[in-house]
């Protein structure tokens, strides 16, 4: 999945590794996608990742999604890799919920998710609000979001550009990023 937009889906936007035997492709590439305003009754308003799946989620925006558990992501028994992504302003019990899994977040922003984010996230070069998340080169300050080019089209989803004075500017490690 590349260059896609998921806006206002009920039942969650995407499920990876579902079904009796895992189902579907367990190692998909999800790149340059926007997940905005989606909802799920149980877990993962934007994305559910389960059962040994190992997707690469790169340069995605997950904002203002809702689920009872994992407003943006519900991660269970799998190893997703999330890079260069912003996960912010999602609501539910944790913005990113992790159960019996080993997700890796690199060069990401996790900010203002209600209930925080699961502390079992492995993070590197990330800006996070929840000080229970540890890792290498973690920053715990406001990312200074600002309105950008797509504000006219996307309303509040266009408000997730970082200001030129943001502490995220040049704070990541390009050698860690997936091409």
């Amino acid at each position: 999945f590349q260059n896609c937009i998921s806006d206002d889906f009920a039942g969650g936007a995407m499920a990876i590794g579902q079904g009796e035997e895992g189902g579907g492709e367990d190692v998909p590439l999800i790149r340059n996608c926007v997940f905005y305003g989606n909802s799920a009754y149980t877990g993962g308003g934007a994305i559910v990742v389960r059962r040994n799946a190992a997707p690469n989620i790169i340069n995605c925006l997950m904002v203002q999604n809702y689920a009872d558990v994992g407003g943006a992501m519900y991660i269970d028994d799998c190893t997703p890799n999330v890079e260069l992504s912003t996960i912010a302003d999602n609501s539910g019990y944790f913005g990113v919920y992790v159960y019996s899994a080993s997700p890796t977040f690199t060069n990401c922003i996790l900010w203002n998710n209600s209930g925080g984010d699961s502390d079992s996230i492995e993070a590197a070069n990330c800006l996070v609000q929840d000080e229970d998340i540890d890792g290498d080169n973690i920053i715990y300050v406001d990312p200074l979001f600002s309105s950008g080019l797509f504000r006219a089209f996307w309303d509040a989803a266009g408000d997730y550009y970082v200001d030129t004075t943001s502490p995220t500017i040049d704070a990541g490690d390009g050698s860690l990023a997936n091409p």
Side-chain angles (χ1 to χ4, degrees):
F1 299 93
Q2 294 192 53
N3 306 314
C4 62
I5 297 169
S6 172
D7 178 18
D8 201 29
F9 279 84
M14 182 178 290
I16 303 163
Q18 298 287 79
E20 182 79 20
E21 300 298 321
E25 185 177 354
D26 290 336
V27 189
L29 172 64
I30 302 161
R31 182 183 296 220
N32 303 328
C33 294
V34 175
F35 299 90
Y36 169 69
N38 301 290
S39 62
Y41 177 69
T42 54
I47 300 175
V48 173
V49 186
R50 300 180 68 189
R51 296 197 176 102
N52 301 313
N56 288 299
I57 301 167
I58 302 169
N59 197 33
C60 291
L61 177 65
M62 294 179 227
V63 295
Q64 299 182 21
N65 298 288
Y66 168 80
D68 287 348
V69 179
M73 295 183 75
Y74 182 95
I75 302 170
D76 177 15
D77 191 29
C78 57
T79 55
N81 174 51
V82 183
E83 300 180 16
L84 303 167
S85 295
T86 297
I87 301 170
D89 295 325
N90 298 285
S91 56
Y93 179 71
F94 291 122
V96 176
Y97 176 79
V98 177
Y99 177 77
S100 188
S102 301
T104 302
F105 287 73
T106 307
N107 296 332
C108 292
I109 298 172
L110 294 117
W111 193 257
N112 200 36
N113 294 307
S114 70
D117 295 294
S118 183
D119 61 3
S120 55
I121 291 171
E122 182 181 319
N125 301 304
C126 292
L127 186 147
V128 301
Q129 184 172 12
D130 192 334
E131 293 188 11
D132 290 334
I133 297 174
D134 289 327
D136 296 327
N137 193 28
I138 304 300
I139 301 171
Y140 302 100
V141 296
D142 190 330
L144 302 176
F145 290 127
S146 63
S147 293
L149 175 66
F150 295 106
R151 175 75 161 125
F153 303 104
W154 277 96
D155 196 28
D159 288 341
Y160 294 94
Y161 291 87
V162 291
D163 188 82
T164 57
T165 61
S166 172
T168 62
I169 303 294
D170 295 327
D173 183 349
S175 69
L176 297 175
N178 196 338

